[in-house]
Amino acid sequence: MYSCSDLKKGLKLLIDGEPHIIAGFDFAKPGKGQAIYKCKLRNMITGSLFDRSYRSGDSFEPAQLEDVRMQYLYQDEAGYVFMDNKTFEQIHLSEETLGDDKLFLRDNMEVEILMFNGRGIGVTLPNFVNLRVERSDPWVKGDTAAGNSKPATVEGGYTLSVPPFVEEGDIIQIDTRSGEYVTRVKE
Amino acid sequence: MAGNWQLAKRRPALEARARIVQTIRAFFMEQDFLEVETPQRIPVNAPELHIDAVRSGSWSLHTSPELCMKRLLAAGYPRLFQICRVWRDAERGRRHLPEFTMLEWYRADADYLDLMNDCEALLQALLPSGSLPVRDATIALAAPWQRLTVADAFSAYASLPLAQALAADRFDEVLSNEVEPRLGRERPTFLYDYPAGLAALARRKANQTDLAERFELYIAGVEIANAFSELTDPDEQRQRFSADEASRRQQGKEPLPLPEKFLSELANLPPSAGIALGLDRLVMLLTGAASIDAVVAFTPEEL
């Protein structure tokens, strides 16, 4: 169990049976009064964000979460299918749970699936992923308004800013945490 | 060498802080206040339900210089001030440091209303322009500032009346979440006349004994100072200390002796009033800092 003095940004708690992460935290103490521990909580399943205050004496159950290494297999009507390489068990993650990360998924990619009560509630991709540029117009020399960058769309449909020398068919490395271009990769 | 950028970038705030301290000293000295230094390591603090001292051997670091300041008042010093470090265990937040700087001043033959006048004059000395720009507004400092009783503040801003909040033991939570953010927005607010149970060292109002002559100063939603007309009755003070000490023990806190020298000299205390102002928070306000971290040379995490 956690007590109020354990509360801080990033701590994961079980509240009303669901895992929540503290997205924002402050300590307050009006006048000579009781300590108030103000938390901004995010429900890790629904994503909803809300404020809640606690005070000394309150206690909290840690959220039992587990990162499991899995492989991405394919997409079907029910969502995205991943397989645990040790047990060969397969799970589905919804499009909603994956969010923008779905744009960087590639077949057979190894990812970490965040598991709660046997259910996948989030995914952590490799920090960097290599994707082929499917569409990018040639850069017009002297077009200073474009600020030495141009848009490119990679396989899977994600569009980002790349340097002028990147051409259609190139493989580029993208940081999955920021979604930004890192470098061009030689095949 | 790039040096420690986190420390270097605070230079404007630290320069402002030094100027503010100089102005405060000049303000009180011009009015014949005596600046004193009292020991920071003391045998025992006044028992407070919600303030824990940092232990230092068998003694403690002071949570406020109030006991020593009042013993000086009782010995015949009429006007005193002190700027000192104080310690409160396990208090850390955007506006809280476990070690911070307190400005306290005391006046004999005065009450809490006189201290309200002092606050108005002090802020005007610090900001001759008469206005304080905050993030999205300007706070006018011309006297008189807003005076709002605790009961009226709850009626105006809280989701439940004061009596209900007290009965449900939700006073501090409702004050912090619903009332405080609304105070001191257009001009500073004195929130005053606290329920007597929430002011262990304050005098009760003569005509309304369920209320204590205590106020808190709020500017831009931030609590800046806590003040009261001092309780001068040693018997009543002993009873209140004993009750608070008993409650502390019920919460499982370590038993502490009462400050006996303070209690024995309290009978000589003239009618007087004292105030504790959080200097770091004042500097935050005057420099527009969002966090107390920005106005101190070092946070505990940086040591």
Side-chain angles (χ1 to χ4, degrees):
Chain A
M1 293 291 265
Y2 294 124
S3 71
C4 279
S5 56
D6 297 313
L7 298 177
K8 62 178 179 189
K9 203 172 159 182
L11 193 73
K12 291 161 186 154
L13 309 171
L14 194 67
I15 297 169
D16 304 327
E18 295 196 334
H20 289 71
I21 186 164
I22 300 179
F25 175 76
D26 197 19
F27 168 92
K29 200 165 188 179
K32 294 186 165 201
Q34 298 172 356
I36 309 289
Y37 301 83
K38 299 184 180 186
C39 296
K40 193 170 279 298
L41 293 160
R42 184 188 303 281
N43 183 310
M44 296 178 73
I45 295 175
T46 65
S48 70
L49 201 62
F50 58 97
D51 293 313
R52 197 173 280 183
S53 294
Y54 298 100
R55 58 193 197 184
S56 306
D58 286 339
S59 61
F60 311 89
E61 213 175 311
Q64 300 294 343
L65 297 160
E66 192 187 4
D67 270 321
V68 178
R69 192 144 195 91
M70 294 203 191
Q71 193 172 26
Y72 172 58
L73 297 182
Y74 55 85
Q75 186 183 3
D76 66 13
E77 307 84 61
Y80 294 77
V81 181
F82 297 84
M83 182 178 70
D84 185 327
N85 281 334
K86 285 196 191 113
T87 63
F88 305 110
E89 254 178 86
Q90 294 187 9
I91 63 154
H92 273 89
L93 247 57
S94 69
E95 191 163 341
E96 209 177 15
T97 302
L98 277 170
D100 287 344
D101 284 342
K102 67 171 187 262
L103 296 167
F104 303 128
L105 270 183
R106 303 200 66 191
D107 290 352
N108 305 319
M109 182 183 268
E110 293 237 323
V111 300
E112 303 273 347
I113 302 285
L114 187 63
M115 301 291 293
F116 173 73
N117 275 350
R119 173 176 168 194
I121 62 168
V123 65
T124 307
L125 300 181
N127 290 344
F128 301 103
V129 56
N130 295 342
L131 293 173
R132 182 177 302 277
V133 177
E134 289 195 330
R135 199 167 62 252
S136 189
D137 294 331
W139 188 56
V140 182
K141 206 175 167 101
D143 183 3
T144 49
N148 278 359
S149 70
K150 61 174 189 173
T153 303
V154 294
E155 55 185 314
Y158 179 65
T159 299
L160 72 169
S161 281
V162 299
F165 56 78
V166 171
E167 294 170 359
E168 283 178 11
D170 284 351
I171 307 285
I172 60 171
Q173 188 175 71
I174 298 170
D175 188 324
T176 59
R177 295 160 296 185
S178 62
E180 284 173 9
Y181 169 89
V182 180
T183 185
R184 186 165 58 170
V185 182
K186 294 269 184 288
E187 274 286 87
Chain B
M1 281 291 289
N4 186 329
W5 177 71
Q6 290 293 342
L7 300 184
K9 75 176 179 181
R10 285 179 206 155
R11 179 191 294 258
L14 296 184
E15 287 174 349
R17 182 182 177 115
R19 283 194 299 273
I20 288 164
V21 171
Q22 296 302 324
T23 305
I24 291 171
R25 286 218 155 86
F27 174 85
F28 284 107
M29 288 167 77
E30 273 164 24
Q31 297 185 66
D32 246 355
F33 277 74
L34 176 65
E35 180 169 15
V36 292
E37 293 178 279
T38 60
Q40 304 190 344
R41 184 171 174 272
I42 59 174
V44 69
N45 283 282
E48 292 268 2
L49 271 182
H50 304 298
I51 297 177
D52 291 320
V54 174
R55 297 307 304 261
S56 172
S58 60
W59 287 19
S60 297
L61 301 178
H62 66 178
T63 58
S64 148
E66 62 189 329
L67 298 182
C68 287
M69 296 294 269
K70 281 190 240 181
R71 288 180 65 187
L72 288 170
L73 271 182
Y77 295 84
R79 284 178 297 280
L80 296 167
F81 79 102
Q82 176 161 198
I83 298 171
C84 61
R85 288 284 162 142
V86 299
W87 288 263
R88 294 182 178 186
D89 195 31
E91 299 195 1
R92 184 69 173 107
R94 202 156 56 86
R95 293 172 190 154
H96 289 267
L97 285 167
E99 175 182 348
F100 63 101
T101 301
M102 196 79 104
L103 161 66
E104 294 208 357
W105 73 93
Y106 290 81
R107 280 182 178 274
D109 304 313
D111 66 14
Y112 69 150
L113 301 175
D114 297 306
L115 296 178
M116 293 185 188
N117 298 334
D118 285 343
C119 290
E120 290 168 346
L122 175 63
L123 261 289
Q124 282 157 9
L126 286 163
L127 280 169
S129 71
S131 69
L132 172 67
V134 292
R135 201 155 45 110
D136 45 3
T138 300
I139 296 172
L141 297 177
W145 294 349
Q146 183 187 25
R147 299 183 181 195
L148 184 65
T149 68
V150 174
D152 286 346
F154 271 70
S155 303
Y157 303 127
S159 55
L160 73 177
L162 173 61
Q164 274 182 36
L166 287 168
D169 191 23
R170 290 185 59 205
F171 177 83
D172 294 310
E173 172 206 332
V174 174
L175 180 66
S176 179
N177 287 336
E178 300 176 21
V179 179
E180 286 189 341
R182 312 285 290 274
L183 303 179
R185 286 292 166 193
E186 287 166 12
R187 53 194 172 130
T189 299
F190 295 113
L191 187 68
Y192 75 107
D193 285 0
Y194 277 66
L198 300 177
L201 292 117
R203 179 173 81 192
R204 289 171 192 267
K205 272 178 96 82
N207 56 353
Q208 235 183 319
T209 54
D210 58 331
L211 295 177
E213 292 188 356
R214 169 186 170 194
F215 75 80
E216 297 254 2
L217 168 61
Y218 286 88
I219 304 177
V222 180
E223 176 202 337
I224 294 294
N226 175 44
F228 32 80
S229 308
E230 304 293 349
L231 174 64
T232 54
D233 178 340
D235 296 329
E236 186 175 352
Q237 186 69 77
R238 179 179 295 279
Q239 281 171 19
R240 292 197 206 168
F241 277 173
S242 301
D244 282 348
E245 176 56 18
S247 303
R248 285 181 63 87
R249 290 184 197 199
Q250 270 180 3
Q251 293 172 11
K253 294 183 173 170
E254 101 185 289
L256 291 171
L258 297 186
E260 290 296 341
K261 288 203 175 84
F262 166 78
L263 284 168
S264 67
E265 292 170 19
L266 193 57
N268 298 319
L269 191 67
S272 50
I275 178 165
L277 182 150
L279 189 89
D280 312 88
R281 289 194 192 168
L282 182 65
V283 177
M284 278 177 71
L285 267 181
L286 296 180
T287 60
S291 161
I292 198 167
D293 296 22
V295 300
V296 294
F298 291 89
T299 63
E301 294 81 10
E302 287 167 329
L303 296 176

